[in-house]
Amino acid sequence: MSTPMMQQISALKREAGDAILLTRMGDFYELLGEDARGFLADLQRRVAIPTTSQEQGSMPALQEYVSGEMSGSLKKLGYECTVLPNPRAEYGPFLIARRVEDPAKPTVLTYGHGDVIRGQDDQWRQGLSPWKIVIEGEKMYGRGTADNKGQHTINIAALQCVLEERGSLGFNSTILIETGEAERTVTLKVDRWWTGGDETELVVAASMSVAS
């Protein structure tokens, strides 16, 4: 049976149309009902891509994550997406997505990584899989739900909420998603590639950053 709170949320959702509603629950905001299902659908697509950067043969999945899934999602929000190869060819690519509303406004950099550690499929108990989200009570299972696909999916959903409510962000947004974090291949810096010794630095200019 629907609770009074969910009845109220359903009424607000009907008034809001396609907008995503964030419901304050104590000190946090939560997605409920249809919006939660939409968020889970986005996250499930991303978890299903086995972006295991520590394993050989993972390059097609890493490329699909940034060139297909994430670029496709961000272009719908008005971002221009560029996928850059890693200067160390054995490691995965980078996605840099930019939404420039006004060059005079500050730029917020959002960082995330799309790669995960090995799936270790045989170590998951019956009924669970690293590549499928399963929710049991307050727990969510699936490789990347906690590190880091869940986090950058939340950040992007928040940006989507602002765009749907206001029509603009009020700032410029750059989103960097790398696919080699588990291998620790890159150090983040400023607007060019620099290779020296065992280090590689990618520098992106921004006024502030949101790292998850």
Side-chain angles (χ1 to χ4, degrees), residues 25-65:
M25 310 288 283
D27 293 331
F28 301 94
Y29 289 86
E30 293 190 12
L31 293 169
L32 300 173
E34 295 177 10
D35 293 327
R37 288 189 286 273
F39 171 81
L40 285 174
D42 289 342
L43 184 55
Q44 176 56 72
R45 290 196 314 273
R46 294 162 192 172
V47 168
I49 303 173
T51 51
T52 53
S53 60
Q54 297 173 325
E55 295 180 327
Q56 291 185 347
S58 64
M59 193 63 69
L62 298 175
Q63 189 71 45
E64 166 59 23
Y65 193 80

Side-chain angles (χ1 to χ4, degrees), residues 24 58 100 119 131 168 211:
R24 184 163 185 173
S58 64
V100 179
W131 317 122
S168 65

Side-chain angles (χ1 to χ4, degrees), residues 42-179:
D42 289 342
L43 184 55
Q44 176 56 72
R45 290 196 314 273
R46 294 162 192 172
V47 168
I49 303 173
T51 51
T52 53
S53 60
Q54 297 173 325
E55 295 180 327
Q56 291 185 347
S58 64
M59 193 63 69
L62 298 175
Q63 189 71 45
E64 166 59 23
Y65 193 80
V66 292
S67 298
E69 170 59 33
M70 298 311 303
S71 290
S73 296
L74 289 168
K75 286 177 181 177
K76 294 177 182 177
L77 301 181
Y79 284 80
E80 294 184 1
C81 298
T82 302
V83 176
L84 299 175
N86 198 308
R88 298 175 64 178
E90 68 271 29
Y91 298 118
F94 297 82
L95 168 63
I96 299 179
R98 290 187 172 94
R99 179 187 165 93
V100 179
E101 295 187 354
D102 183 345
K105 292 181 178 179
T107 297
V108 176
L109 171 66
T110 302
Y111 165 84
H113 63 89
D115 63 314
V116 296
I117 65 170
R118 296 175 179 86
Q120 300 170 319
D121 301 54
D122 59 342
Q123 297 184 31
W124 293 62
R125 64 174 168 79
Q126 186 175 3
L128 299 181
S129 164
W131 317 122
K132 182 179 179 180
I133 292 177
V134 174
I135 298 176
E136 296 180 349
E138 296 182 349
K139 296 181 179 179
M140 178 184 295
Y141 297 89
R143 183 68 83 216
T145 54
D147 185 18
N148 175 261
K149 294 177 180 180
Q151 286 92 332
H152 60 254
T153 297
I154 289 171
N155 291 340
I156 293 168
L159 293 170
Q160 181 181 348
C161 287
V162 175
L163 288 170
E164 291 180 348
E165 175 66 23
R166 301 178 180 174
S168 65
L169 295 175
F171 54 87
N172 303 317
S173 172
T174 297
I175 298 176
L176 169 64
I177 297 178
E178 63 158 308
T179 59

